Amino acid sequence: MSQLKPFLKWAGGKSQLIGDIQARLPNYTANQDFCMIEPFLGGGAVSFWALSNLKYLKKLIINDFNEDLINVYQVIKADVQQLMIELDNLQKDYDKLLDKDAKTPYFYAKRASFNQRNLDPVKQASLFIFLNKASFNGLYRVNKKNQFNVPIGSYKRPVFLDKALLLAVSDALQKVVILQGDYEQTIKALPNNLPCWFYLDPPYRPISETASFTAYSHQLFDDSEQRRLHEFCQKIDKLGHQFLLSNSDPTTHSEYDDFFDILYQDFNIERVTANRAIGAKSTSRQAVNELLIRNY
């Protein structure tokens, strides 16, 4: 299989951490069949890397709470040809608009249409990809009413349709189990005959008051949710499976904020360096520590 990559731009995407994650895979992944589970899928960088590179990966289960996002994956799996037709139409229409003044009303009309959520799954998925590529910095953010509210970006010719990539992703997804809902449901889908490795990439705990990218859905992922996730990790551990979890390092902002060091003191905690991929200002795109937490 050729090297897959995310087809979406996603805040907090893990492409830059692939090397750190690869170095921390469970030993059995190198010599025996196993199952991988990614309960917080997002842009899917780790899952796509695993599909391309891990020889003994026999089953992949992906999940996300974000219904709009999972609809895109399901449509790519089931009806990629029709999706490409819709994206091609969007591409042609947008490219005819020669400047931002012309593109702006088109963008906001499509955003309003997306937020109605009354289109068929394919059209809804095409608008998701359109907004992801045309909006400011490719952010996905919704308000408490689940309305996508990111403004138009400054891209002159964003690319909505990458046929080769979408076809490759569609082919790879044919063997993947796609779930939508709370991450805890993934435990019910585990195979009985394979060791299982979870990669957990939840909405990050903000490292400052202005650095929150947790609004991937209208459901708040606050500290109580971080504690519930720790309990989920304990369940995985008791079942005899392995997990690797990534999150922000609060000590980047305050050396006294040891929230995760205390919460995950029963597991292994490491700090690695990552560059922020998305920020409103260039000065915010800097190297920061991130946490990698595992039970092996």
Side-chain angles (χ1 to χ4, degrees), residues 173-226:
L173 289 178
Q174 300 308 310
K175 299 178 287 185
V176 175
V177 177
I178 304 175
L179 304 176
Q180 186 279 315
D182 186 81
Y183 59 87
E184 291 208 48
Q185 72 173 332
T186 56
I187 280 185
K188 300 176 183 178
L190 299 184
N192 295 321
N193 59 339
L194 293 173
C196 296
W197 177 64
F198 286 75
Y199 174 62
L200 302 161
D201 183 33
Y204 272 22
R205 187 171 186 259
I207 59 174
S208 70
E209 293 180 358
T210 60
S212 176
F213 288 122
T214 60
Y216 297 128
S217 77
H218 58 287
Q219 298 292 325
L220 184 66
F221 207 92
D222 56 13
D223 281 359
S224 65
E225 281 297 308
Q226 297 288 357

Side-chain angles (χ1 to χ4, degrees), residues 23-24 45 53 56 70-71 88 113 119 125 127 161 190 196 199 201 203 206 219 224 226 232 234 249 287 290 292-293:
R24 292 164 178 81
N53 294 279
Y56 291 97
I70 289 299
N71 176 61
D88 187 51
S113 180
L119 301 173
L127 288 181
L161 175 58
L190 299 184
C196 296
Y199 174 62
D201 183 33
Q219 298 292 325
S224 65
Q226 297 288 357
F232 179 69
Q234 291 179 316
D249 181 6
E290 293 197 8
L292 290 179
I293 303 168

Side-chain angles (χ1 to χ4, degrees), residues 61-121:
I61 301 169
I62 59 177
N63 175 81
D64 204 280
F65 185 80
N66 188 323
E67 293 181 46
D68 297 313
L69 174 66
I70 289 299
N71 176 61
V72 177
Y73 284 92
Q74 290 171 332
V75 165
I76 291 175
K77 179 178 181 177
D79 204 355
V80 70
Q81 294 293 340
Q82 190 59 42
L83 175 63
M84 291 194 298
I85 291 173
E86 295 291 339
L87 289 172
D88 187 51
N89 290 334
L90 288 167
Q91 190 78 64
K92 290 175 180 176
D93 289 346
Y94 207 66
D95 288 349
K96 291 176 184 176
L97 306 171
L98 300 181
D99 55 33
K100 189 171 182 179
D101 287 341
K103 293 179 186 295
T104 295
Y106 184 91
F107 172 87
Y108 286 107
K110 294 302 182 185
R111 193 180 78 170
S113 180
F114 174 83
N115 282 330
Q116 290 294 316
R117 293 185 173 82
N118 59 5
L119 301 173
D120 66 68

Side-chain angles (χ1 to χ4, degrees), residues 131-158:
L131 293 171
N132 177 262
K133 303 296 185 180
S135 63
F136 175 75
N137 272 348
L139 288 174
Y140 185 87
R141 184 188 65 201
V142 294
N143 59 25
K144 292 181 180 180
K145 295 182 179 180
N146 201 27
Q147 298 289 289
F148 181 84
N149 61 5
V150 182
I152 188 172
S154 299
Y155 309 109
K156 293 182 178 180
R157 291 183 65 87

